[in-house]
Amino acid sequence: MDIKTMIDRVAAAVQAVREANPLVGSVTNGVTMEFVANAQLAAGGSAAMVYLPDEAEYLVEASGAFYVNMGTLMPVYEETIPAATRKAAALGRPWVLDPVGIGIGSLRGRLLADMAACPPSIIRGNASEILALAALWGLSDEQGCVRGVDATDEVAAARMAAVELARWTCGAVAVSGEEDLVTDGHTVATCRGGSPLMEKVTGFGCSLGGVMAVHAASADPFTAALASVLLYNLAGSRAAVAAQAPASFKAAFLDELYRADAMDVSGNHFSLQEV
Amino acid sequence: MDIKTMIDRVAAAVQAVREANPLVGSVTNGVTMEFVANAQLAAGGSAAMVYLPDEAEYLVEASGAFYVNMGTLMPVYEETIPAATRKAAALGRPWVLDPVGIGIGSLRGRLLADMAACPPSIIRGNASEILALAALWGLSDEQGCVRGVDATDEVAAARMAAVELARWTCGAVAVSGEEDLVTDGHTVATCRGGSPLMEKVTGFGCSLGGVMAVHAASADPFTAALASVLLYNLAGSRAAVAAQAPASFKAAFLDELYRADAMDVSGNHFSLQEV
Amino acid sequence: MDIKTMIDRVAAAVQAVREANPLVGSVTNGVTMEFVANAQLAAGGSAAMVYLPDEAEYLVEASGAFYVNMGTLMPVYEETIPAATRKAAALGRPWVLDPVGIGIGSLRGRLLADMAACPPSIIRGNASEILALAALWGLSDEQGCVRGVDATDEVAAARMAAVELARWTCGAVAVSGEEDLVTDGHTVATCRGGSPLMEKVTGFGCSLGGVMAVHAASADPFTAALASVLLYNLAGSRAAVAAQAPASFKAAFLDELYRADAMDVSGNHFSLQEV
């Protein structure tokens, strides 16, 4: 994979979303669902969130891609999440998993373990979450160390776990941190940008997963994940120029997400390495 | 209905809310419930949201009007929503329905079908939702075409469905779009204003329904619906002068909702036509 | 308790949070959970919200303190909230209660009544909520008069109820209003500041409770409650200089919450009185 081809693919992915306004359904975190929806809209998609099993199945079918975020699970998710992932597998619909909260509670553990049988197209998490998911699926011996919803591990420590997960799922894995890593199991992209303020506002990770689903509606998983990371880094860097505190930074970020064009995003710095 | 009378009624409705600070209970969409509450507060009301059946009954009784938004249904809503609408009917309490998501899932379909027996005072939706609801209640043969939570039909296409629904409910119906339509089944008001950015932020439709409930606490359904649409168009137009991207636009909109006075709202352009 | 000691304790509490970034788990209100999380992050903590019983137990154990807000109860909270409070009692973990909505619905009444047996470290509410809770626990004959989620009583009217509750719980009680009151049952602190715009945005009360939990992770209940009230009053006063309408005020407030340092907070005016 040479970098010029990748830059063109990223630009095409961002452009396609701006033109096609793809619908993306989500089962997602109550804390951040408004941020997820607004980020998906700002990136050029259309958003719909549901809690119930048959509604999730309907939306998987109606959407270009689907998003499952494991935060704030409700009892009914015991049915909703498997219904959605089975439907996505049956239809070959791309879907994105954010394993937030991995390690907390028995339902989350069971649902995530069962996903090994019908894996997501894209997995996005922080380093600790990616390490924990690879361990849960028997792909790695390292457990990672999640503290609530925060990472205590560095992105580099999750590199091999990410590669193994991407190979196992035949999809893409993105690890968020100071330096972001995106891999399809063969190529690893590393990207810099954004702002430390992204840690001071809830939902930057959750909404990045939602935006990956928007891009996965028309691009392959690796391109969709990388385009979304580059878009976030670009908008985050620009917002940090305009705002130095969390709430004004968040508003500036969503504004910049909306303003960013395909050339700006694909021109944001990243590098590629073969594994 | 002459326009001067209507202008006076709108001004009186907006003024009454600013003075009386009416409490409005809601069973509403998880994605946008904070926006709904903040819009209700900015318009001069007081907001309380609940999930459970007996809490909804309590709030129907304690509130000047009630709001039911059909987004993100939970299993318990199978009891909560009928409990609320039955209580509203028993007490003659005005209530507003937003049939968002109509067509998605079996519970939503059953709940909406049952509402034909104790209909809302105001229905607010996009053109596709209004067409679908009129079809569900057997008032029209056109089905409309909802895509997730978005309209694919034009407001004009839903004009007759809106009129039929308003006659059937003896209430008011508002169809949101580039040109908004509000009718009591005899008179049709058309209104312009707002901004295309209202489509780029989640919750403008949901929160407009919530603000209609605030006005319905003291005004008749048609006046309450029209006053709210005019208020939204005014605040949206003003916010679009201050902000050109979604997140800063949303903040500017809520600020303008708070600042708008009765004269400004009632003086915003609209026209009336007898059906 | 002399004021100089108290000022030093407040400064130390604010500083400790900025340095230790304590994790605080919450079972909290759907309307305002994003605001709660963002306020906890801006104050220097880390936030995680859950709905399910075993997840709440896990988070009580993993957190420095826990937050229970009684808004928007779900059916599963019948198990979740007692599981969390029993776990907190078993581990001696501090926790904060916001009895929002007291008087609405049977589940809320039962859950709050049962808390008399394993009481919170800090209770935060408006005057009507504090009066109603003291009456529910048999500590006072005055019932208070809650209207939805709003107070209809003055802070001064809840003074004795707050003192009785603080003595009964051996913790602290904070009553929010134009003039805020914080007591440990022996000393009463009164504080001024903030802005009337805090009533025009949903979640200032809820998020203050969440921020109290952040400070309770490292300070005693009285100091944690007082430090949080002073921090809110300071950030509110500063935000009111920058913004005169609700949405821009809210953003400015969160920015100021993030910027406030320990000296600024502890230097904000308050007075102490022995009961």
Side-chain angles (χ1 to χ4, degrees), chain A residues 7 9 14 17 32 40-41 53 72 99 121 131 133 140 153 167 190 197 212 214 218 221 227 238 264 270:
Chain A
I7 289 172
R9 287 189 189 173
V14 173
V17 163
T32 60
Q40 291 177 321
L41 266 59
T72 62
S121 319
L131 284 165
L133 187 64
S140 152
D153 300 283
R167 287 181 180 174
T190 53
L197 282 172
M212 286 179 180
V214 168
S218 51
R238 288 180 172 177
D264 295 340
F270 67 99

Side-chain angles (χ1 to χ4, degrees), chain B residues 140-162:
Chain B
S140 150
D141 292 336
E142 266 185 279
Q143 295 290 332
C145 179
V146 187
R147 193 196 66 143
V149 297
D150 300 327
T152 62
D153 300 282
E154 295 293 318
V155 169
R159 183 186 174 97
M160 278 319 297

Side-chain angles (χ1 to χ4, degrees), chain B residues 20-23 33-34 37-38 41-42 44 46-52 54-55 58-59 74 76 251 254-255 258-259, chain C residues 30-31 34-35 72-75 103-108 147-150 197 199-202 244-248 250:
Chain B
N21 179 230
L23 173 64
M33 64 201 303
E34 189 175 19
N38 280 330
L41 266 58
S46 171
M49 277 72 182
V50 290
Y51 298 141
L52 302 182
D54 69 334
E55 300 184 10
Y58 177 99
L59 272 187
M74 294 183 185
V76 73
L254 282 165
D255 285 353
Y258 173 77
R259 286 190 189 114
Chain C
V31 186
E34 189 174 20
F35 189 1
T72 64
L73 298 179
M74 295 183 184
I104 303 180
S106 62
L107 177 59
R108 187 174 284 101
R147 194 196 66 145
V149 298
D150 299 327
L197 282 171
E199 307 264 301
K200 290 294 173 190
V201 178
T202 192
Q244 284 78 47
S248 49
K250 180 185 173 181

Side-chain angles (χ1 to χ4, degrees), chain A residues 52-261:
Chain A
L52 302 182
D54 70 334
E55 301 185 10
E57 288 177 334
Y58 176 100
L59 271 187
V60 169
E61 188 149 8
S63 296
F66 201 79
Y67 180 42
V68 177
N69 178 300
M70 302 297 289
T72 62
L73 298 179
M74 294 183 185
V76 73
Y77 285 10
E78 183 147 23
E79 297 161 58
T80 304
I81 289 177
T85 57
R86 276 195 308 259
K87 190 73 170 185
L91 299 172
R93 192 74 79 239
W95 67 284
V96 178
L97 170 67
D98 183 332
V100 59
I102 187 168
I104 303 179
S106 62
L107 176 58
R108 186 174 285 103
R110 283 203 310 282
L111 290 170
L112 284 170
D114 290 350
M115 282 177 194
C118 56
S121 319
I122 302 177
I123 300 164
R124 192 218 67 83
N126 62 40
S128 301
E129 290 159 354
I130 296 300
L131 284 165
L133 187 64
L136 182 70
W137 289 359
L139 303 173
S140 152
D141 292 334
E142 264 185 278
Q143 295 289 333
C145 180
V146 187
R147 193 197 65 144
V149 298
D150 300 327
T152 60
D153 300 283
E154 295 293 318
V155 169
R159 183 187 174 97
M160 279 319 297
V163 167
E164 291 301 330
L165 278 170
R167 287 181 180 174
W168 168 267
T169 59
C170 302
V173 175
V175 191
S176 299
E178 206 187 316
E179 182 170 79
D180 304 299
L181 175 162
V182 186
T183 182
D184 62 358
H186 307 287
T187 303
V188 172
T190 53
C191 327
R192 284 192 158 274
S195 157
L197 282 172
M198 289 161 120
E199 308 263 301
K200 290 293 173 191
V201 179
T202 192
F204 272 95
C206 298
S207 62
L208 174 55
V211 166
M212 286 179 180
V214 168
H215 288 104
S218 51
D220 68 273
F222 183 52
T223 303
L226 180 57
S228 304
V229 168
L230 294 174
L231 173 59
Y232 261 56
N233 284 344
L234 176 72
S237 297
R238 288 180 172 177
V241 175
Q244 283 78 46
S248 48
F249 174 78
K250 181 185 173 182
F253 172 82
L254 281 166
D255 286 353
E256 295 297 343
L257 211 57
Y258 173 76
R259 287 190 188 113
D261 74 18

Side-chain angles (χ1 to χ4, degrees), chain B residues 7-203:
Chain B
I7 289 173
D8 290 346
R9 287 188 189 174
V10 164
V14 172
Q15 192 57 31
V17 164
R18 302 278 179 189
E19 282 165 16
N21 179 230
L23 173 64
V24 166
S26 298
V27 173
T28 189
N29 202 331
V31 186
T32 60
M33 64 201 303
E34 189 175 19
F35 190 0
V36 171
N38 280 330
Q40 291 177 321
L41 266 58
S46 171
M49 277 72 182
V50 290
Y51 298 141
L52 302 182
D54 69 334
E55 300 184 10
E57 288 177 335
Y58 177 99
L59 272 187
V60 169
E61 189 149 5
S63 297
F66 201 78
Y67 179 43
V68 176
N69 179 298
M70 301 297 290
T72 62
L73 298 179
M74 294 183 185
V76 73
Y77 286 10
E78 184 148 22
E79 298 161 57
T80 303
I81 290 177
T85 58
R86 275 195 308 258
K87 191 74 172 183
L91 298 174
R93 191 74 79 239
W95 66 284
V96 178
L97 170 67
D98 183 332
V100 60
I102 186 169
I104 303 181
S106 62
L107 176 58
R108 187 174 285 102
R110 281 203 311 281
L111 290 170
L112 285 171
D114 291 349
M115 282 177 194
C118 55
S121 320
I122 302 177
I123 301 165
R124 192 219 66 86
N126 62 40
S128 301
E129 290 158 355
I130 296 301
L131 283 165
L133 187 64
L136 182 69
W137 289 358
L139 304 174
S140 150
D141 292 336
E142 266 185 279
Q143 295 290 332
C145 179
V146 187
R147 193 196 66 143
V149 297
D150 300 327
T152 62
D153 300 282
E154 295 293 318
V155 169
R159 183 186 174 97
M160 278 319 297
V163 166
E164 291 300 330
L165 278 170
R167 287 181 180 174
W168 167 266
T169 59
C170 301
V173 175
V175 191
S176 300
E178 207 186 317
E179 182 170 79
D180 304 299
L181 176 161
V182 185
T183 183
D184 62 359
H186 307 286
T187 302
V188 172
T190 53
C191 328
R192 284 191 157 276
S195 157
L197 281 172
M198 288 162 121
E199 308 263 301
K200 290 294 174 190
V201 178
T202 192

Side-chain angles (χ1 to χ4, degrees), chain C residues 138-212:
Chain C
L139 303 174
S140 151
D141 292 334
E142 266 185 278
Q143 293 290 333
C145 180
V146 187
R147 194 196 66 145
V149 298
D150 299 327
T152 61
D153 300 282
E154 295 292 318
V155 168
R159 184 186 173 98
M160 278 320 297
V163 167
E164 290 301 330
L165 278 170
R167 286 181 180 175
W168 168 266
T169 60
C170 302
V173 175
V175 191
S176 299
E178 206 186 318
E179 181 170 80
D180 304 299
L181 175 161
V182 185
T183 182
D184 61 358
H186 307 286
T187 302
V188 172
T190 54
C191 327
R192 286 193 156 273
S195 156
L197 282 171
M198 289 162 120
E199 307 264 301
K200 290 294 173 190
V201 178
T202 192
F204 272 95
C206 299
S207 63
L208 174 55
V211 167
M212 286 178 181

